[in-house]
Amino acid sequence: MTVAARRALVPILLLLAPVAPGAARPAAEDPSAAKPLQVRIGLTTDALKARIFADGGLVIRSPEDGSRIWKKQFDAGVYVVSDVEGGETGLVYRVQVASYASKDQAQASKRELEQLLPGEKTVLVYHPDRRSWRVRVGEFQNREDTSALVQKLRDEGYTELWVAEEGLAVQARRRIRLVDDRWQNFLTKHDRVLIEAVRPGNLLQVDDRSYRGRMEAQVDRGGRLRLINELDVEQYLRGVVPNEMGPGVYPEIEALKAQAVAARTYIFANLGQFSDDGFDVCDSPSCQVYKGAGTEHSMTDRAIEETRGLVLAWDGSPINAMYTSTCGGHTEDGVLVFHNEKGPYLKGVPCYPEAEAETRTVKGRSWGAPVTLEDGSTMIQEIVFLERLGIVRPGTLDGVDLLAPCAAGDAERWTSLTLGRLGKKPAGRRLGEGDLTLQGYAAYLVGALDWDEKMDLAFHERDLPYLLAFRDGGQVAAEARRAFAVLILEGILRPFPDNTLRPAHRPSRGLVLRTLHRVLEFYEGLGKVRGRYRGSEDDRILLEVDDQVAPYVLKPDVALFRSFRDVTYPAPEIPLTLGDRLFFHAAPDGAIDVLEVIANQRGVADDRYSSAFRWEQRYTREEMEKRIRQRIDVGSLSDIRPTRRGVSGRVVEVRIIGSRGGFTIRGFPIRTALGIRENLFTIDRVRDEKGRVQSFIFSGKGWGHGVGLCQVGAYGMALRGKKYDQILAHYYTGASLTRGSTIIDTRRAADHNRAAAGPR
């Protein structure tokens, strides 16, 4: 075992001291406490070379005695390059028969297969990212050559078969080559070197990313360059938490604190997971995403600092704190997705608020039905805003009034009041009674808006026939053509549903007012404020505006509107759910007189804020057949049938059926084999006239594996006022929040890591 592997097997762990139920949440670690745990992260970089740089220069040292290699320091950075002399590399294909958490179980299965297939090579492969032992049979140069073995294994009753590819290790001399800024190079005698910034605390720049701590560059057994970042766990988390739960998208400190504890617990539980390769965990989603110092954020830094040292434990050991992006309203039992994850804390739980916390109903003024105008648009909310802005008198316009032809005096007065709201004065030209046609009003409105230069700049004369290519576009008077075109271009006037402009049409009162409302929208002059519902205090509602939460009073006659799937309608009362997006208008006294709630089409689940809460993916039969063939060849695909679901409704077992037979997939591999976002789905099939499946439609919810903490659900809980310990207690059933207090002995640390990494 290498020195690096031995070091990774003996990390320092903290004694886990459980917090008594009902006690205050643990405070940050005492500054005088032990030095934070050091962790080693295997970085994803180019397989051949990487450029490393640091302000103030860097040094490269021997891993054996710490002496400097080649130069005293490298001021302009250096390339580290994998140098392999001799040996061969390549791929082989094997048939995976089973996967086990225990090496003993895997070895028993291996012996059984060796008796059944004496002429085939049988191997065990350990996967540290899933902490499982895979039993594989055969050794083939091409995927297609596995077919006969697959069929034989099927005939013997093996159903969960998988064709896996493996890389062959390099049997050669492996060394690190250094190349400086002048392209001079130096071949070291080592297969790994240590790299540090000259000035303590300076960041190391690796290609386009920066990192804290120090680096180890090594050439692995496959001949690839591997960089390992070594730093303390709290600094490591600063490069993890913002990448696992973006503070810009989910800016709730309690949710970010829950994520920080989960991420810290994950690294404690998985130390030494890749010890054979000299590091603890990887930097990809297979472990947890780590992108170094360049992604650090003040909000996640705060979440990490305020939970410093805290982890989740079960029976005195850190739990495997799995987390998922979006659970679709319910998480799943861990063992049904990952058969090795039998922790009692990974139980499926609903991702919904308590019944009493779901909604608050607000009541307001009752309105009639929206009025449909001659251009096909509807209006009712528009009249409310025009009333509140003082452009029309309250209660003077009903449905009949809105559809009546508009008098020139009314149009002129309303236009003048509208322009006044925008700080504009109408042009000196008057709107005569004979001019009140659409083209006459268009010319008047453009002049009143002082858009003459805008028209000249927007169009060339040759643009107009193209822009006014409607059935009656040729009937627009020459002096109104540019006015019509610019108002249509800006969305203030709209063509009629029958593809006409009707330039000689006398507009209704409603159409003139609808046009003026669009003018106010164009200039953002309606006084609409965007906000989010954050709860209530007595008779007031709490709204978040520009990241600030404040209480607002609702007018007794507040005009209420609800938008659902881009349709807005009035309502005498509206349910408000924490986190709902909305628009409102405040009267001069500060009270809200218009409130529009944007109904969330995803319901009231805590993770409804994710764009992946509901999704749909479609594949033709040929596309799906090609995907599945990457794993195993079933011939011509005929169907995909879910055969078992978990507590959340997730598909935890599916049968793939083809012309060469069928096979079963269970748990997490379902998602990857089918190329879908989550296991929480239904399947719809499109068939031809003979009943053969032509395409599959997957309709699902969620994104990820669905086990443990739901990240977007944690955000939803935080929006509802839940603290990070409450969030963690909800998603990790029975786990206790603990803190590090004492250094434990090396033997216990090594024993813990061997249990987490699996036997070698």
Side-chain angles (χ1 to χ4, degrees):
M1 182 180 292
T2 65
V3 174
R6 288 197 297 273
R7 290 175 59 204
L9 276 173
V10 193
I12 300 173
L13 291 179
L14 300 177
L15 184 62
L16 303 175
V19 179
R25 288 186 296 280
E29 293 284 2
D30 189 320
S32 64
K35 182 180 178 181
L37 171 70
Q38 296 291 299
V39 296
R40 292 166 60 83
I41 316 302
L43 304 183
T44 303
T45 58
D46 185 89
L48 179 63
K49 67 182 186 307
R51 183 178 185 272
I52 305 179
F53 170 82
D55 286 339
L58 53 84
V59 295
I60 299 178
R61 299 182 184 276
S62 163
E64 297 169 354
D65 58 14
S67 61
R68 301 195 184 200
I69 296 176
W70 190 19
K71 298 183 180 183
K72 183 177 180 181
Q73 70 181 57
F74 295 82
D75 294 321
V78 65
Y79 278 96
V80 290
V81 182
S82 166
D83 191 288
V84 178
E85 183 180 346
E88 295 181 357
T89 62
L91 287 176
V92 295
Y93 296 88
R94 307 187 198 275
V95 180
Q96 181 169 306
V97 180
S99 177
Y100 298 97
S102 161
K103 186 177 183 180
D104 290 341
Q105 291 176 304
Q107 287 176 328
S109 176
K110 178 176 181 288
R111 288 191 294 268
E112 182 180 296
L113 285 163
E114 285 171 337
Q115 291 178 357
L116 177 65
L117 305 166
E120 298 288 353
K121 185 174 183 178
T122 304
V123 300
L124 299 185
V125 179
Y126 182 70
H127 273 238
D129 57 333
R130 293 287 172 236
R131 295 184 296 178
S132 62
W133 290 90
R134 281 84 187 272
V135 184
R136 294 174 178 172
V137 183
E139 187 169 290
F140 303 92
Q141 299 304 310
N142 300 295
R143 185 181 296 275
E144 294 74 17
D145 295 341
T146 64
S147 298
L149 179 57
V150 167
Q151 188 59 54
K152 186 172 184 178
L153 288 165
R154 281 183 186 161
D155 294 341
E156 294 294 335
Y158 291 93
T159 58
E160 294 190 53
L161 304 176
W162 212 259
V163 177
E165 63 180 39
E166 296 179 12
L168 291 176
V170 172
Q171 302 299 324
R173 185 175 184 183
R174 297 172 279 128
R175 290 178 290 180
I176 293 288
R177 183 180 295 275
L178 304 176
V179 182
D180 66 14
D181 60 311
R182 296 183 179 181
W183 300 105
Q184 294 177 331
N185 74 91
F186 177 81
L187 182 61
T188 74
K189 63 181 181 180
H190 308 287
D191 63 359
R192 64 188 187 94
V193 296
L194 307 179
I195 306 169
E196 300 173 338
V198 171
R199 298 173 183 170
N202 276 16
L203 301 180
L204 291 173
Q205 186 79 23
V206 179
D207 295 330
D208 60 346
R209 290 184 179 174
S210 56
Y211 296 90
R212 298 183 183 278
R214 71 174 187 173
M215 288 288 165
E216 178 180 304
Q218 64 171 232
V219 182
D220 68 16
R221 289 166 296 179
R224 295 162 299 188
L225 178 69
R226 168 75 69 180
L227 293 184
I228 297 170
N229 183 201
E230 184 174 350
L231 71 171
D232 80 53
V233 68
E234 301 299 320
Q235 290 180 332
Y236 160 70
L237 291 173
R238 293 175 67 183
V240 170
V241 179
N243 295 294
E244 286 289 356
M245 192 173 189
V249 181
Y250 303 111
E252 283 295 320
I253 188 63
E254 294 300 319
L256 296 172
K257 287 163 75 172
Q259 176 65 67
V261 173
R264 184 183 294 107
T265 304
Y266 181 91
I267 185 65
F268 269 74
N270 289 280
L271 283 166
Q273 194 180 115
F274 294 83
S275 60
D276 275 0
D277 296 311
F279 55 95
D280 292 310
V281 295
C282 60
D283 66 350
S284 75
S286 294
C287 301
Q288 52 188 5
V289 178
Y290 170 63
K291 294 185 179 180
T295 58
E296 294 173 1
H297 189 281
S298 59
M299 197 169 187
T300 47
D301 283 352
R302 174 188 163 194
I304 294 162
E305 182 60 31
E306 291 183 6
T307 62
R308 174 176 284 269
L310 298 181
V311 297
L312 289 159
W314 178 275
D315 195 25
S317 296
I319 70 172
N320 189 25
M322 304 187 75
Y323 47 87
T324 191
S325 168
T326 307
C327 68
H330 204 293
T331 63
E332 186 54 80
D333 288 353
V335 70
L336 294 179
V337 180
F338 305 102
H339 70 276
N340 299 317
E341 296 299 340
K342 298 179 181 179
Y345 46 82
L346 293 177
K347 292 296 183 183
V349 296
C351 193
Y352 277 85
E354 304 82 359
E356 65 272 16
E358 286 185 3
T359 60
R360 169 178 175 163
T361 299
V362 295
K363 298 182 179 181
R365 176 178 171 183
S366 180
W367 291 87
V371 176
T372 301
L373 304 176
E374 60 264 45
D375 68 348
S377 64
T378 59
M379 70 180 308
I380 188 167
Q381 188 187 60
E382 293 79 7
I383 284 296
V384 173
F385 269 99
L386 293 174
E387 284 184 358
R388 297 298 194 248
L389 295 175
I391 293 169
V392 296
R393 291 190 296 276
T396 58
L397 297 174
D398 58 22
V400 175
D401 290 331
L402 290 173
L403 294 174
C406 186
D410 288 336
E412 195 173 285
R413 183 177 70 259
W414 293 335
T415 303
S416 178
L417 291 169
T418 299
L419 295 177
R421 295 286 308 181
L422 302 173
K424 291 176 173 284
K425 294 182 179 180
R429 180 185 169 201
R430 300 296 302 274
L431 183 61
E433 194 67 38
D435 292 330
L436 198 56
T437 59
L438 275 179
Q439 64 183 1
Y441 185 63
Y444 169 78
L445 182 58
V446 167
L449 291 169
D450 195 21
W451 278 10
D452 291 331
E453 286 188 350
K454 182 185 180 91
M455 286 192 302
D456 291 339
L457 180 65
F459 311 113
H460 188 277
E461 191 66 30
R462 288 184 294 179
D463 292 324
L464 297 177
Y466 179 82
L467 296 170
L468 299 178
F470 299 93
R471 283 172 51 193
D472 57 353
Q475 299 176 20
V476 180
E479 63 273 15
R481 288 169 65 80
R482 284 180 174 271
F484 243 113
V486 74
L487 292 174
I488 290 174
L489 185 68
E490 299 294 359
I492 292 171
L493 283 181
R494 296 184 183 175
F496 286 80
D498 60 355
N499 193 33
T500 61
L501 297 175
R502 304 186 195 179
H505 173 72
R506 183 171 183 181
S508 67
R509 294 157 65 86
L511 187 57
V512 170
L513 290 168
R514 185 70 179 84
T515 301
L516 293 173
H517 182 273
R518 289 178 183 142
V519 170
L520 290 166
E521 282 185 314
F522 178 85
Y523 283 103
E524 299 180 352
L526 290 170
K528 290 175 72 171
V529 180
R530 184 190 300 270
R532 191 180 288 274
Y533 176 61
R534 297 300 300 267
S536 58
E537 290 181 352
D538 302 324
D539 60 341
R540 299 179 296 178
I541 61 173
L542 300 176
L543 301 182
E544 179 184 348
V545 179
D546 296 332
D547 298 325
Q548 299 295 320
V549 177
Y552 290 83
V553 174
L554 295 173
K555 291 273 191 185
D557 65 341
V558 60
L560 300 176
F561 296 90
R562 191 168 189 257
S563 292
F564 191 83
R565 295 188 68 89
D566 298 324
V567 176
T568 302
Y569 56 89
E573 60 182 40
I574 292 180
L576 277 173
T577 299
L578 288 165
D580 275 349
R581 294 179 298 118
L582 50 82
F583 294 95
F584 67 90
H585 179 270
D589 62 2
I592 293 176
D593 54 12
V594 183
L595 180 66
E596 176 188 349
V597 178
I598 314 300
N600 196 312
Q601 302 170 30
R602 302 162 190 152
V604 296
D606 277 328
D607 62 333
R608 67 188 183 274
Y609 306 99
S610 170
S611 59
F613 182 79
R614 286 196 180 93
W615 50 263
E616 182 179 281
Q617 289 176 261
R618 298 177 180 233
Y619 292 101
T620 66
R621 180 181 57 79
E622 292 79 10
E623 289 171 336
M624 184 55 67
E625 197 173 275
K626 183 177 180 181
R627 291 195 65 89
I628 292 172
R629 192 178 293 121
Q630 295 174 7
R631 306 288 182 170
I632 195 165
D633 188 1
V634 295
S636 178
L637 179 64
S638 58
D639 203 3
I640 302 171
R641 298 177 186 170
T643 53
R644 184 186 175 196
R645 292 183 181 270
V647 295
S648 66
R650 279 173 175 78
V651 176
V652 296
E653 182 178 281
V654 69
R655 187 74 174 162
I656 310 295
I657 303 169
S659 60
R660 295 184 180 176
F663 75 102
T664 299
I665 310 176
R666 294 184 176 91
F668 180 77
I670 294 172
R671 172 193 173 200
T672 53
L674 301 182
I676 55 178
R677 290 185 172 185
E678 243 275 21
N679 282 21
L680 188 54
F681 65 88
T682 60
I683 304 178
D684 194 7
R685 301 161 184 83
V686 177
R687 302 179 185 271
D688 64 14
E689 65 278 0
K690 294 182 179 180
R692 294 174 300 196
V693 176
Q694 296 300 295
S695 62
F696 298 92
I697 304 172
F698 296 88
S699 299
K701 296 170 70 176
W703 194 354
H705 49 64
V707 177
L709 173 79
C710 175
Q711 293 170 307
V712 184
Y715 170 73
M717 289 185 70
L719 280 174
R720 296 193 287 109
K722 299 297 182 181
K723 301 300 182 183
Y724 76 94
D725 57 334
Q726 296 173 303
I727 296 170
L728 294 168
H730 176 74
Y731 288 111
Y732 299 112
T733 307
S736 59
L737 190 63
T738 65
R739 76 184 108 205
S741 60
T742 308
I743 303 296
I744 64 173
D745 62 85
T746 300
R747 182 175 180 180
R748 180 177 176 185
D751 288 345
H752 175 86
N753 278 335
R754 280 195 289 271
R760 297 301 182 204

